[in-house]
Amino acid sequence: MTEDNKKTPEFQDREDNRSMQEIHSAAFRESPLPEEGNERGPIWMYAVIILTFAFGFFYIGRYLGEVSDRAHVLFTAPPTEAVEEIEVDLIAEGQRIYGRVCQACHQANGQGIAGVFPTLAGTEWVVEQPDKSVLMILNGLQGELVRERATYNGVMPPFARQLDDFEIAAVVSYIRNAFGNEGSEIDPDRVARIRELTADISGAYNPQTIVETAARIGAELAE
Amino acid sequence: MSTTHFSEIDSSAQSIRFLDEKARNVVLFLIVSGVFWLLFGSLLALLASIKMHAPDWLGQWSFLTFGRVRPLHLNTMVYGWASMTGAGVALWLLSRMLRVAIPMRPYIAGVTVIWNLALVVGSFQILAGYTRGIEWLEFPVSTMIVIVWCILVIGIAAMLMLFNRNVQTLYVSVWYLIAAFLWLPLLGGVSSLPIFNTPTVQAGMNWWFAHNALGLWFTPIGLAAAYYFIPKVIGRPIYSYGLSLLGFWGLALFYNWNGFHHLIGSPLPTWFITISIAASVMMIIPVIVVAVNHHMTIVGSFSAVKYSPTLRFVVFAAMSYTFVSLQGSIQALRSVNEVIHFTHFVVAHAHIGMYAFVTMMLFGSCYYILPRLTNWEWQSGKLIKLHFWLTALGIILYTFPLQVGGVLQGLAMNNPDITFSDTVTMTIPYLITRSVAGVMLTAGHLIFAYLVIRIVARVGLRPAVPESWNPKLEEARS
Amino acid sequence: MLLEQSISVSAGIWILLLFSLLIIVSGIALFSWAWLSGQFDDINKGAQLPFTEEEPAGEPTDQLFKPEEETHSDK
């Protein structure tokens, strides 16, 4: 066909294509266009296809899990007893949580922001009465807060759903031992008790109700 | 094959000249509408990209905040540019491959008007804050249903072409296109059902739809174009027709489970996600088959790639398809997903799919189709080359640094000693690079739009010798 | 409330599953139709479909960037 085209003077399909045929006519003669359309493809391609099938079936077999509408559970085995015995550094864990959760408002140095977010350094409710810190973290705090040195009017959001007892104990332990504060570590069990005793309270405290609640649970915790 | 046919030009109802004349108005309308939404979407893309590293910029107006600009960018590009131009290209390809004029032309023109109106309404809705809040489905359900209905009507026209075809055997491009027109209304219809109200199932539906919209709507259109234009431009049949069919059926069987790999780590049932990961890996089969087929067809004809504007874009797009698909198969594995999930890596991956593959394929198709529809010439070869290099280099500059940055970001996010704010600030250089690349891409789009307007309006001098039309055919017809 | 939610979670998942299977089944149905109607009888013919008498195989099209000197050198 290529040869025929060249010999036909009338043939004028798209100016440039015609000349391309002429330019490359030698090449076309040497290796005529292959009769394509029915090739089988290289062998490695079939090898890849077979390997892919093999992997697919292996993967489904290995990780199928339970066929039900139950939510996904991790493939990792449940933690053994040995894992629980490892001692965790409550304060280091608390520092990590502080950086993630608290720092945006209370700042890296714990100083807060004047008029909005209270300082944590040397604060009575952190150092002397840590139960109030726990209460605040659980349910949040709203309303004007008048302290000796300053007055604040911000909103502390509740974290009862985001942080578990251990995490709250860790972060309170951390703020009691940072920013120049010194205090004991808080036991996660105590946080669990406080959470239990205040389970009926919904919504944020205000500066008055938090004092009342602290007094109520203080008595029960002392038992 | 003989050469006598030039003396007996076929001007019957099956000649490509006749088919192109019938296709002209509807296909041009769809393509030009698409190009408008491409420009609008590019503007939104630039706004969103710059906001990623300058978050306060233009933040004083709520309708220009990131949460509205970015979803609208996605929706106008997907349902405006890619779907409209894609539908136009699909209709033209079907008309050519089935040898039948596009039917229902007034209806198609009508739904194109409605489609454009729906996009305008949807744009206002998203900018005003009325959104469904589901990625890829941000348009309110009512707007989305209108768009799906428009595609359904065009799909009915495609089915009519199939039933009234003048060839017996269906070319592989036809398989892809018909399947795409069947799948998209199904996806759009199901995703609009008011049954996915619980968060987990809504997320499942979200990624089932979004991934399938790419894989069962845009990918078939893109591959159909590649399977037509590569052999057509080179002038050489496809390497293996049998393999091309294998590739199509592989896509049809494996693709629609892929979407759930976006939800690794979510509370969907384990087996759901495992099967989708396995299906994602299985996609290697159709992809490798398509890649081998395209590569072996092109081998030995690289001069044709160099000299053809269409083939440049199409080959770039076909290579991107192979790359992005293999990358996607690897990304789906749980161990890899652990690192790259929720990072910029995925954003770059999505753009290799939607831009380097789908959009470049549509550019290439337009360069082939428009001269044949308008019977006019592209006004500047230099500008076409500039368009190619701006967009090709632009998308490489966009995706490569962003994927490197995304992996680093993912590793940092998995390291509990690095605060979250540090993992955000460390990506800023890559985000700035993306904005620079975005400017390049937008410049390319402006050039393309200029060329399209010139050729559609038939402005400027018509070259004495048509470069992409057969002069002999013209004479024979007059 | 919790019970209600868990019921609709499962319902939604089965609906997604149903439509995923529908897509696969429609693929298989199309394939059977293609097989029975002889679409795969002459694989070789399929590859020639993009080419017509007007634009036959063997001739590249769309060679817009071919340099001028090459185009006209043989005239």
Side-chain angles (χ1 to χ4, degrees), chain B residues 89-90 92-93 97 171-174 176-177 218-239 244 290-291 293-295 297-298 310-311 313-322 356-358 360-362 364-365 368-369, chain C residues 50-51:
Chain B
V89 169
W92 184 84
L93 284 172
M97 301 310 310
Y171 186 57
V172 60
S173 296
V174 177
Y176 277 111
L177 293 172
F218 295 117
T219 300
I221 291 176
L223 289 182
Y227 271 118
Y228 183 76
F229 289 121
I230 291 176
K232 190 77 180 168
V233 174
I234 294 178
R236 182 178 182 183
I238 194 80
Y239 169 71
S244 69
V290 168
N293 217 348
H294 288 167
H295 178 78
T297 309
I298 298 166
T310 299
L311 211 51
F313 283 97
V314 168
V315 168
F316 183 92
M319 284 159 63
S320 304
Y321 172 69
T322 310
F357 167 45
V358 175
M360 293 298 259
M361 193 68 85
L362 292 176
S365 308
Y368 196 91
I369 295 171
Chain C
F51 304 102

Side-chain angles (χ1 to χ4, degrees), chain B residues 42-348:
Chain B
S42 306
L43 177 72
L44 297 165
L46 277 181
L47 287 177
S49 178
I50 293 170
K51 276 165 178 291
M52 287 294 276
H53 51 79
D56 294 335
W57 185 58
L58 294 180
Q60 62 269 46
W61 296 294
S62 62
F63 64 94
L64 284 182
T65 45
F66 182 81
R68 299 187 188 178
V69 170
R70 196 264 178 189
L72 187 57
H73 154 64
L74 194 158
N75 281 263
T76 50
M77 285 303 200
V78 167
Y79 304 114
W81 155 245
S83 288
M84 284 186 137
T85 309
V89 169
L91 283 177
W92 184 84
L93 284 172
L94 283 172
S95 165
R96 280 262 172 133
M97 301 310 310
L98 298 171
R99 307 243 117 199
V100 58
I102 298 174
M104 295 167 58
R105 290 185 293 275
Y107 293 96
I108 295 174
V111 296
T112 311
V113 173
I114 295 169
W115 191 347
N116 276 307
L117 287 176
L119 287 165
V120 171
V121 171
S123 301
F124 279 111
Q125 284 171 320
I126 289 184
L127 289 182
Y130 295 99
T131 160
R132 229 177 139 189
I134 305 174
E135 201 171 359
W136 279 70
L137 289 167
E138 278 96 345
F139 282 144
V141 177
S142 48
T143 311
M144 192 61 203
I145 287 175
V146 173
I147 292 173
V148 171
W149 176 79
C150 291
I151 298 176
L152 182 68
V153 171
I154 295 176
I156 292 171
M159 294 305 146
L160 283 178
M161 289 161 92
L162 180 70
F163 294 134
N164 298 327
R165 68 186 188 272
N166 288 316
V167 289
Q168 205 274 323
T169 315
L170 301 181
Y171 186 57
V172 60
S173 296
V174 177
W175 282 115
Y176 277 111
L177 293 172
I178 293 294
F181 277 119
L182 286 174
W183 282 327
L184 188 91
L186 179 71
L187 297 173
V190 172
S191 68
S192 301
L193 293 176
I195 53 173
F196 305 104
N197 293 326
T198 52
T200 312
V201 176
Q202 193 187 58
M205 177 279 287
N206 177 6
W207 289 111
W208 178 77
F209 173 83
H211 215 89
N212 280 349
L214 177 68
L216 298 181
W217 170 239
F218 295 117
T219 300
I221 291 176
L223 289 182
Y227 271 118
Y228 183 76
F229 289 121
I230 291 176
K232 190 77 180 168
V233 174
I234 294 178
R236 182 178 182 183
I238 194 80
Y239 169 71
S240 166
Y241 190 71
L243 284 184
S244 69
L245 289 176
L246 181 64
F248 169 75
W249 295 105
L251 182 93
L253 290 180
F254 298 136
Y255 206 104
N256 93 91
W257 270 102
N258 283 15
F260 306 117
H261 67 216
H262 283 262
L263 297 167
I264 293 171
S266 79
L268 275 182
T270 311
W271 60 278
F272 230 69
I273 293 170
T274 292
I275 291 179
S276 97
I277 295 172
S280 309
V281 175
M282 300 286 236
M283 275 303 293
I284 289 177
I285 295 169
V287 168
I288 209 91
V289 166
V290 168
V292 164
N293 217 348
H294 288 167
H295 178 78
M296 297 302 273
T297 309
I298 298 166
V299 157
S301 305
F302 280 106
S303 63
V305 180
K306 198 175 148 202
Y307 294 144
S308 161
T310 299
L311 211 51
R312 278 190 190 204
F313 283 97
V314 168
V315 168
F316 183 92
M319 284 159 63
S320 304
Y321 172 69
T322 310
F323 177 76
V324 76
S325 303
L326 295 180
Q327 196 184 51
S329 296
I330 295 166
Q331 264 174 260
L333 295 172
R334 283 189 171 92
S335 48
V336 181
N337 204 273
E338 216 168 74
V339 177
I340 51 118
H341 205 174
F342 300 124
T343 70
H344 292 299
F345 186 96
V346 181
V347 179

Side-chain angles (χ1 to χ4, degrees), chain A residues 145-223:
Chain A
L145 183 63
V146 185
R147 311 305 295 157
E148 282 165 32
R149 281 166 292 178
T151 297
Y152 302 96
N153 199 354
V155 175
M156 167 90 182
F159 290 97
R161 281 160 178 270
Q162 285 95 321
L163 300 176
D164 64 21
D165 300 332
F166 174 81
E167 288 170 321
I168 291 175
V171 79
V172 175
S173 300
Y174 169 69
I175 59 174
R176 282 167 60 75
N177 288 284
F179 327 125
N181 296 346
E182 269 181 47
S184 58
E185 291 187 0
I186 301 293
D187 188 352
D189 291 342
R190 189 178 178 85
V191 178
R193 280 285 288 155
I194 295 175
R195 194 193 281 266
E196 213 178 286
L197 290 170
T198 60
D200 54 328
I201 293 171
S202 63
Y205 298 107
N206 61 43
Q208 201 187 335
T209 54
I210 195 169
V211 174
E212 292 164 12
T213 312
R216 174 169 70 82
I217 63 164
E220 293 191 46
L221 282 168
E223 284 171 14

Side-chain angles (χ1 to χ4, degrees), chain B residues 52-55 344 402 421-435:
Chain B
M52 287 294 276
H53 51 79
H344 292 299
L402 204 57
S421 54
D422 285 347
T423 68
V424 175
T425 47
M426 68 176 285
T427 60
I428 288 176
Y430 307 103
L431 297 174
I432 292 173
T433 314
R434 170 166 72 178
S435 292

